């Protein structure tokens, strides 16, 4: 978030971090019912992370209901949702950093969007490599505001381009049996 690495044990809130946490909650199919985690373990880890940061995933989903989606696909390495905000519909994507970097042209930094440059991409890929080489599972999150005439029921793969990079998460990925 804003070029900083923030540990789950040392959370500092700012606009960029809040936008990242919203993306973790909204571009996510998991839930927790009566203390039981339901869904993909990576996604439940993300809503647990949001909870530790003081965000309630259910509240986020009520405030910003999903109105369209492209489910995760292992070939694309992405999941995309369209969610409703007061000022319109936003498209939020979650996925592999290398794929995301080919689809972003802006970055959300210090509370505002700006053009993405080669230094930004290099820093994102460097962080991704450092986390990955330490055995962590890394996911990146971009978004964009949908055009006025956007039909969320007909969201397409083309909507996963011209995005604004928010940040990335890294978590321990336990070995599979």
């Amino acid at each position: 978030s804003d070029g900083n690495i923030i540990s789950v044990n040392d959370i500092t809130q700012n606009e960029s971090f809040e936008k990242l946490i919203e993306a973790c909650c909204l571009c996510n199919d998991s839930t927790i019912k009566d203390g039981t985690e339901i869904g993909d373990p990576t996604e439940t880890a993300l809503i647990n992370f949001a909870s530790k940061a003081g965000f309630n995933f259910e509240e986020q989903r009520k405030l910003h209901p999903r109105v369209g989606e492209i489910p995760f696909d292992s070939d694309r390495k992405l999941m995309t949702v369209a969610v409703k905000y007061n000022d319109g519909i936003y498209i939020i994507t979650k996925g592999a950093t290398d794929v995301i970097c080919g689809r972003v042209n802006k970055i959300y930094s210090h509370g505002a969007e700006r053009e993405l440059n080669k230094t930004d991409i290099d820093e994102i890929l460097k962080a991704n490599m450092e986390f990955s080489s330490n055995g962590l599972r890394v996911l990146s999150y971009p978004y964009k505001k949908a055009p006025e005439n956007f039909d969320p029921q007909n969201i397409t793969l083309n909507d996963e381009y011209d995005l604004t990079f928010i940040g990335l998460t890294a978590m321990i990925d336990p070995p599979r049996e």
Side-chain angles (χ1 to χ4, degrees):
S1 173
D2 287 339
N4 300 314
I5 297 173
I6 301 170
S7 164
V8 71
N9 298 318
D10 187 30
I11 293 171
T12 54
Q13 304 252 346
N14 61 44
E15 285 183 60
S16 297
F17 180 76
E18 290 176 11
K19 194 171 278 294
L20 178 63
I21 293 295
E22 279 183 16
C24 289
C25 293
L26 299 173
C27 194
N28 188 319
D29 288 329
S30 69
T31 191
I32 299 174
K33 292 262 193 236
D34 301 320
T36 301
E37 296 176 348
I38 302 167
D40 178 81
T42 298
E43 290 196 334
T44 57
L46 292 170
I47 58 175
N48 281 318
F49 171 57
S51 178
K52 285 184 180 182
F55 287 77
N56 181 315
F57 74 94
E58 291 171 318
E59 206 172 279
Q60 289 294 319
R61 292 175 184 173
K62 283 179 189 164
L63 282 171
H64 311 294
R66 186 181 298 184
V67 292
E69 73 178 285
I70 304 172
F72 175 78
D73 179 294
S74 57
D75 292 332
R76 278 185 11 264
K77 300 181 188 175
L78 301 174
M79 172 187 183
T80 297
V81 296
V83 293
K84 192 170 186 168
Y85 277 73
N86 289 338
D87 65 338
I89 294 174
Y90 284 78
I91 295 165
I92 303 171
T93 300
K94 171 180 72 187
T97 303
D98 57 333
V99 175
I100 296 289
C101 282
R103 295 166 185 246
V104 294
N105 56 14
K106 293 181 183 169
I107 187 167
Y108 190 85
S109 179
H110 303 287
E113 289 183 16
R114 67 170 171 78
E115 292 300 310
L116 189 73
N117 59 46
K118 184 179 180 339
T119 303
D120 296 323
I121 292 288
D122 290 346
E123 288 178 11
I124 293 165
L125 292 174
K126 180 182 175 198
N128 182 64
M129 183 58 72
E130 285 177 19
F131 290 139
S132 297
S133 65
N134 286 312
L136 300 176
R137 173 174 289 192
V138 183
L139 293 170
S140 287
Y141 305 81
Y143 78 101
K144 72 177 175 184
K145 186 171 184 187
E148 289 280 325
N149 60 351
F150 178 73
D151 177 5
Q153 297 299 310
N154 292 314
I155 188 169
T156 71
L157 300 182
N158 290 331
D159 295 312
E160 296 177 326
Y161 288 89
D162 300 320
L163 301 166
T164 300
F165 186 83
I166 306 168
L168 48 83
T169 57
M171 66 189 80
I172 295 171
D173 192 13
R176 296 190 176 113
E177 292 181 21

